[in-house]
Amino acid sequence: MTPTIKELLNTPHGREVVVKGWVRTKRGNKNVAFIALNDGSTINNIQIVADPSAFDEEILKKITTGACIRVTGDLVESQGSGQAVEVQAKEIEIYGEADPEKYPLQKKGHTMEYLRTIAHLRPRTNTFGAVLRIRNAMAFAIHKYFNEHGFVYLNTPLITESDCEGAGEMFQVTTLDLENLPRTESGAIDYSEDFFGKQTSLTVSGQLEGELGAMALGKIYTFGPTFRAENSNTPRHLAEFWMIEPEMAFYDVQDNMDLAEDFIKTLVRYALENCADDLAFLNKMIDPELISRLEGVVKTDFVRLTYTEGMKILMESGEKFEFPVYWGVDLQSEHERYLVEKYFKKPVILTDYPKDIKAFYMKQNEDGKTVRGMDVLFPKIGEIIGGSERESDYGKLMTRINELGMSTTNLEWYLDTRRYGSCPHSGFGLGFERLLLFVTGMANIRDVIPFPRTPKNAEF
Ligand code: ATP
Ligand code: MN
């Protein structure tokens, strides 16, 4: 196995090596050529130095930005500044050319919008390389965290009959012939002919199944794709995103908040410790406050505040919001960001929301008006986590279900958890891409996932 450039840059010089990668730039003159080579293992390039007289002119001509090459040479202490080691090329093989007239990533400084149109090539840019390596590191850190804290990784289904409280609009899954739909006698679509014999959709949340897991295994988490036919074109919503949903038996809402805070701080700390080069790059090129913001979150205690207190602050703020503020209304991102960025200047966990703006399964408070929900609000992002203690009392849960006029046809399995061995329990959902927006400093959620799915866009 050839060592990666990341490995080579950290090994002692003075020996022959083989390097493979994509050409970022080539510069030089008649006497010397400098090739910056990158293989994706690190944001840093390795410098290849070649004496043009020692190579076939045809080969040198093919070494252009984007081309893939293999170099054999001596790893030596660099004569120039900017890098500790470089490779004095002895042999160069061209794996794949990249026509300079056509290769779309010629010059630097493309807009994010343009790069989205070439999402198949953008991982080769410094920015997307950094983002995707951080995405990988965060996925690993999430599994590591839960593994070290006694959680069981539970895979919940992606195709489902249940709509999880209407957390979002759903994408229907069907094999019916849309040109020629089977009908019942009354004229309705006959789903008994569909693949599952029922109407099914892609999941908007694994929570309900997660609760079943928690009431058998104690502490579980899911980490998988989630689909919402969100017709909102915002920088914080995707139609396909990844969600992390821990669910814990015997946790009340306080335990839930403690976990959420510790979890997210641990992840950010992991990024600071393990993604230093990529973060330094993003801090320089994308967001000059990135690293200080990350360090801030690790150090500070999150503010904990009830919805009612938060609403009071908003109403007395004197700020002109686009959406009005009054008790009972759901918070918009502008409100969340006011509390976090202007008022407290730190992350806020907002609790005890009006029951009418939250899902049926949240534990009801004594006041009859609010529920034990908890949303974690972050600078630049707004809501990053949504969670709650769950209503564990069968009677109270059924009363709420009836109040909302919900059907229990597809929920009997869920209600069994409250019928048999019910217990206090809590959980939350963290949007993986929202976390990545925060950790990378990128401004748009389309730019922290390799191939974003949004309204009218499913290319690649
Ligand atoms: P929002 O109000 O921002 O739409 P939500 O209340 O619909 O969020 P939940 O249903 O509580 O969110 O989902 C849990 C978490 O999943 C959210 O805190 C967020 O991090 C993430 N999330 C929700 N919808 C999306 C989406 N469309 N794209 C990316 N992440 C999302
Ligand atoms: Mn939503």
Side-chain angles (χ1 to χ4, degrees), residues 385-410:
I385 282 180
S388 72
E389 183 170 343
R390 318 304 188 190
E391 183 54 76
S392 55
D393 181 272
Y394 177 80
K396 286 188 186 156
L397 189 63
M398 277 313 295
T399 308
R400 187 67 187 139
I401 286 176
N402 292 330
E403 257 171 38
L404 292 167
M406 291 169 55
S407 149
T408 53
T409 322
N410 291 333

Side-chain angles (χ1 to χ4, degrees), residues 167-168 228 230 232 237 383 434:
R228 294 188 186 181
E230 311 257 22
S232 51
H237 288 92
E383 179 187 332
R434 297 247 177 119

Side-chain angles (χ1 to χ4, degrees), residues 7-17 46 73-79 83-88:
E7 287 161 347
L8 285 181
L9 290 174
N10 290 311
T11 50
H13 51 80
R15 63 201 173 90
E16 191 180 88
V17 294
I46 198 163
D74 294 323
L75 189 69
V76 298
E77 199 173 343
S78 179
Q79 262 112 72
Q83 62 275 319
V85 292
E86 62 190 21
V87 176
Q88 297 275 352

